[in-house]
Amino acid sequence: MSSNNKKVWLITGSSSGFGRALAEAVLKHGDRLIATARKPEQLNDLVNQYPETVKAVRLDITNKTAVKAAVDAALEAFGRIDVLVNNAGYGLIGALEEVSDEQIWRNFDTNLFGAINMIRAVLPILRQQKSGHIVNMSAIAGFSNELGFSIYGGAKFALEGVSEALHGEVAPLGIKVTIVEPGPFRTDFIGRSLDRAEHSIDEYEQTVGEFLQFLDKIEGTQPGDPDKAAQVLIQVVNSDNPPLRLVLGKYAYSKFRKKIESLTAELDAWEQIAASTDFETVGSHS
Ligand SMILES: NC(=O)c1ccc[n+]([C@@H]2O[C@H](COP(=O)([O-])OP(=O)(O)OC[C@H]3O[C@@H](n4cnc5c(N)ncnc54)[C@H](OP(=O)(O)O)[C@@H]3O)[C@@H](O)[C@H]2O)c1
């Protein structure tokens, strides 16, 4: 870590919601921050309040040139990066055949490829430092998906798959990886950050339509508090043994548990079939 023992964070999507709450908490905590946003002028108040410890940088994570420039700006400002928070992302609601090709591509480009762009740009620095923490904002839908979130949840599942392998690849290099799985939190997610299918098909009204109604109903009263999540993230980043998966909120916790129980029941029910497909004469590969 840096000589004065204060970490350097780089957070994507610091304009609102989790990213903004975490940016404020990190600065209040006394750490240093590269706060990034597509419109960095939205961060002017933070820069005025913490002129010595925050640098605001324009960043659209789908633009690799901008990603490199943001990482370079972090090094120039503070000489290192201790924590990368891949927070930027947005939802897409609609049945798989209701959403357009373009909506699908854009969603994966941000939620999956944008995060990968960031990780690949920052890793050489963390490797050289022999330390660092990559925090990837997934969603409970990235572990136990919802009807209507095939693409959004699919992108988050993919991000979790990437993160799982990455966790093992970089652990021996002194680098930590944490996947965050929040349930519904009071941010702009259901409002401006929820892309909706361009056309609807009546047959999905009872399934996808119901989940969409649930989202619209809870908008503004989601149980999760982003400021509390921000405090937990700071705690996790400062812990010696951070989790690979961090579930946030009772809704997410309950969904996670149910998924594990149903996976276990299905695995048990089909154990013999799974075992039946191996050759009779093989060594042990477990
Ligand atoms: N709130 C929830 O219930 C919930 C639950 C599970 C997971 N999440 C995840 O939490 C993360 C943050 O979302 P939020 O809930 O805090 O919603 P939010 O308040 O709407 O924030 C989303 C942030 O992502 C940024 N962003 C979107 N596309 C971007 C891009 N291409 N490049 C850079 N920034 C981009 C937005 O920037 P602009 O201001 O420029 O649009 C904004 O800062 C997302 O990854 C989301 O999937 C949220």
Side-chain angles (χ1 to χ4, degrees), residues 13 15-16 18 38 60-61 87 138 152 156 185 187 192-193:
S15 63
S16 68
F18 282 120
R38 287 187 289 196
D60 178 334
I61 58 168
N87 163 74
S138 177
Y152 170 67
K156 295 293 196 186
F185 271 67
T187 69
R192 70 189 183 92
S193 290

Side-chain angles (χ1 to χ4, degrees), residues 165-188:
L166 180 70
H167 175 259
E169 288 171 10
V170 300
L173 315 179
I175 302 165
K176 295 165 181 165
V177 176
T178 296
I179 300 163
V180 186
E181 293 180 348
F185 271 67
R186 233 171 274 181
T187 69
D188 288 352

